[in-house]
């Protein structure tokens, strides 16, 4: 594919997140409305001040906010071309966009890419995330543990969100691919090939950024050339 290319989030995981947050948001509304209805029918003679019993339903508002934000972020990732959530790989560097925050780095500004595994414990069990990370040149030296590599990094990519198949394999493939592009760009400044072989794990989620742009050269060739006044 011709650079620059954009890696898009996996649609399957976004559909699951939409279903989860839709249930979360709907249940929060149901719980809050039910609490207001029941408390409105309860006796109010022992209240410290009028309206005291309505404070309890307000605890449902934070849960509604979490559900609304989750639905909004998942919906943005499903937009065509994913303009607000993506990883963009270009001849001069790499950019990671999350909502309205975008971070761009030139290839020489980053250390070689590596994998940092983070394990988060929840009530439902452990959640393991495989991050592809990069630090500033020299900052990653001596980072032996996953936690140290992640904490020192300035760029983080959730490999499981963009690659197909197992997240650990996607992380390893993405590290090899980005390190190859970086080595070519740093070793041959300004001469990085305009095309790259996208690994199979990411072909289904990769698009060419300029694919929808018109071919300027074709337009220039087809348009008749007019001589200038001086030439005539």
């Amino acid at each position: 594919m011709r650079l620059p290319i954009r890696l898009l989030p996996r649609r399957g995981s976004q559909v699951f997140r939409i279903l989860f947050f839709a249930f979360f948001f709907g249940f929060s509304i149901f719980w809050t409305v039910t609490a207001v209805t029941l408390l409105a029918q309860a006796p109010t003679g022992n209240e410290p001040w009028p309206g005291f019993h309505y404070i309890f339903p307000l605890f449902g508002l934070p849960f509604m906010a979490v559900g609304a934000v989750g639905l909004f972020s998942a919906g943005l990732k499903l937009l065509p071309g994913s303009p607000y959530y993506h990883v963009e790989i270009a001849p001069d560097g790499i950019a990671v966009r999350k909502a309205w925050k975008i971070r761009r780095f030139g290839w020489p500004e980053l250390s070689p890419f590596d994998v940092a595994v983070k394990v988060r414990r929840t009530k439902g069990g452990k959640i393991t995330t495989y991050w592809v990370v990069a630090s500033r040149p020299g900052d990653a030296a001596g980072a032996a543990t996953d936690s140290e590599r992640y904490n020192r990094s300035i760029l983080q990519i959730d490999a499981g969100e963009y690659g197909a198949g197992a997240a650990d394999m996607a992380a390893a493939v993405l590290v090899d691919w980005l390190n190859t592009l970086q080595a070519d760009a740093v070793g041959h400044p300004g001469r990085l090939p305009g095309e790259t072989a996208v690994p199979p794990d990411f072909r289904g989620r990769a698009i060419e950024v300029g694919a929808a742009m018109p071919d300027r050269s074709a337009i220039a060739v087809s348009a008749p050339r007019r001589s200038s006044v001086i030439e005539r």
Side-chain angles (χ1 to χ4, degrees):
M1 300 183 72
R2 182 173 295 278
L3 297 173
I5 62 175
R6 181 177 294 176
L7 300 181
L8 312 182
R10 296 171 59 179
R11 288 185 173 271
S13 60
Q14 305 314 315
V15 173
F16 173 78
R17 292 181 70 239
I18 286 179
L19 294 176
F20 172 79
F21 283 112
F23 173 81
F24 193 87
F25 182 69
F27 183 79
S28 300
I29 294 178
F30 171 77
W31 183 87
T32 302
V33 172
T34 302
V36 170
T37 303
L38 294 176
L39 290 174
Q41 301 172 358
T44 59
N46 298 325
E47 291 183 340
W49 62 81
F52 174 78
H53 63 294
Y54 285 107
I55 295 180
F56 180 68
L58 295 179
F59 286 102
L61 296 180
F63 296 97
M64 280 191 283
V66 171
V69 171
L71 281 172
F72 183 71
S73 63
L76 288 180
K77 293 181 181 180
L78 289 177
L79 292 176
S82 189
Y84 298 103
Y85 283 90
H86 59 257
V87 176
E88 190 167 304
I89 303 171
D92 57 346
I94 185 171
V96 178
R97 176 156 190 172
K98 297 179 179 179
W100 286 268
K101 181 179 180 181
I102 183 169
R103 304 197 68 185
R104 299 182 182 274
F105 301 93
W107 295 116
E109 301 175 26
L110 299 171
S111 68
F113 293 83
D114 205 344
V115 178
V117 183
K118 295 198 70 176
V119 179
R120 181 164 53 93
R121 291 175 173 81
T122 64
K123 293 183 179 180
K126 296 180 180 179
I127 299 178
T128 304
T129 307
Y130 291 84
W131 294 94
V132 173
V133 298
S135 308
R136 298 197 182 278
D139 289 353
T145 66
D146 292 299
S147 179
E148 291 176 346
R149 285 194 293 271
Y150 184 87
N151 292 335
R152 296 185 185 184
S153 66
I154 58 175
L155 181 148
Q156 306 90 23
I157 302 173
D158 184 353
E161 189 171 15
Y162 295 96
D168 55 343
M169 293 298 297
V173 170
L174 185 58
V175 164
D176 290 341
W177 182 30
L178 294 180
N179 280 335
T180 300
L181 290 173
Q182 183 186 40
D184 290 342
V186 174
H188 307 86
R191 290 186 293 167
L192 185 67
E195 294 182 349
T196 180
V198 180
D201 301 65
F202 296 91
R203 287 176 188 169
R205 306 308 309 151
I207 62 172
E208 294 182 357
V209 176
M213 298 297 291
D215 189 347
R216 302 286 183 182
S217 59
I219 295 175
V221 170
S222 60
R225 181 180 179 273
R226 295 184 178 181
S227 59
S228 65
V229 175
I230 296 177
E231 287 175 333
R232 289 199 299 269

